[in-house]
Amino acid sequence: MPAASTTLRMLAVSVIASLTVTGCQALDDAGRTIGRAELVNDLAARLDRALELTYSADYQLPGGQTASIAQAQDPARSAYRYPGGQLTVAEDATTQCEASGARTTCTLAAPPVPGSKPSVAVFAEAKRRGLLTPPLVVGMLTSAALDPAAVVEQSDTTVAGHHATCVDVSRSTGDFSACVTTDGVLGSFTGRVDGTPMELTLSRYSETVDGTAFDLPQGAGVVDRRTTTS
């Protein structure tokens, strides 16, 4: 997923140029006073940088359900597990797995073009099943920042034992709250996404990843839809 880094960083920087720094003031980790624009940029940049980290994170979803995110580098690969499915993005394929009853089917599609990020559509199924991925949260933050009528309030908390900066965003298209840890990991999210209420909270974070996190579910059927050229 590091391919997303440059694009997201450029988007976050462009937000700064479009904002008027008034109203809400906050403190960053070094104790500086920062404005709303800098706050949003800092959180977006944290999430952006985390795309280049190796880590695993577990999340609590409503109703006792769980989800997880795992990332590793060299080679770069990411795995998103959520109720009823799994998404894996690697250099050789983008794989979407879906469980139907006792059977799981995994469909392999072409990987992202080198130097580019996966399309938003890649994360649609994960979002539909309750896992809001970091790239989508970055998009929501930057969209809110570009809304001159949006109200952003800052607070700090601890999530799964890690310090996190939080923002409560109020806007006409829908309110949401998001927390990002100092390391840049999504700590929590509460709000409506495309009209659907979503909520998740980080329950465990580790800087190591079990290699099996990127394996397909055992016994899954595989459909390979990647195109090949000779």
Side-chain angles (χ1 to χ4, degrees):
M1 295 280 293
S5 181
T6 300
T7 301
L8 293 179
R9 186 173 295 112
M10 291 176 64
L11 178 58
V13 169
S14 71
V15 169
I16 293 299
S18 67
L19 291 174
T20 301
V21 184
T22 59
C24 176
Q25 297 289 316
L27 294 177
D28 69 1
D29 294 327
R32 295 184 303 117
T33 299
I34 60 177
R36 181 170 71 98
E38 289 181 277
L39 173 63
V40 172
N41 184 63
D42 177 65
L43 294 187
R46 286 190 205 180
L47 287 169
D48 178 21
R49 288 192 299 269
L51 296 174
E52 300 175 358
L53 298 178
T54 292
Y55 76 88
S56 57
D58 295 336
Y59 290 91
Q60 188 67 46
L61 305 180
Q65 295 184 309
T66 61
S68 66
I69 297 175
Q71 288 186 178
Q73 313 299 326
D74 300 321
R77 56 204 187 281
S78 302
Y80 305 85
R81 296 177 184 267
Y82 42 85
Q86 173 182 331
L87 169 67
T88 303
V89 181
E91 293 181 336
D92 61 339
T94 296
T95 306
Q96 189 89 53
C97 299
E98 182 174 354
S100 178
R103 178 176 174 77
T104 299
T105 301
C106 296
T107 302
L108 280 62
V113 175
S116 68
K117 65 184 178 108
S119 68
V120 174
V122 169
F123 302 104
E125 186 63 18
K127 181 178 66 174
R128 190 178 74 83
R129 293 181 181 258
L131 177 58
L132 192 63
T133 56
L136 293 177
V137 177
V138 170
M140 293 184 68
L141 286 170
T142 52
S143 177
L146 290 168
D147 181 354
V151 177
V152 180
E153 297 183 354
Q154 182 265 351
S155 61
D156 293 278
T157 190
T158 300
V159 184
H162 296 266
H163 175 265
T165 302
C166 305
V167 288
D168 293 322
V169 179
S170 300
R171 57 186 310 213
S172 60
T173 56
D175 304 343
F176 68 88
S177 299
C179 296
V180 180
T181 71
T182 302
D183 291 328
V185 175
L186 180 61
S188 66
F189 179 92
T190 303
R192 287 186 172 271
V193 181
D194 298 332
T196 301
M198 296 190 69
E199 180 179 352
L200 59 80
T201 302
L202 180 69
S203 59
R204 185 195 66 87
Y205 170 77
S206 174
E207 294 180 352
T208 62
V209 177
D210 187 331
T212 62
F214 308 101
D215 293 345
L216 300 185
Q218 188 173 6
V222 177
V223 178
D224 193 343
R225 292 183 177 170
R226 292 172 295 181
T227 57
T228 58
T229 57
S230 57

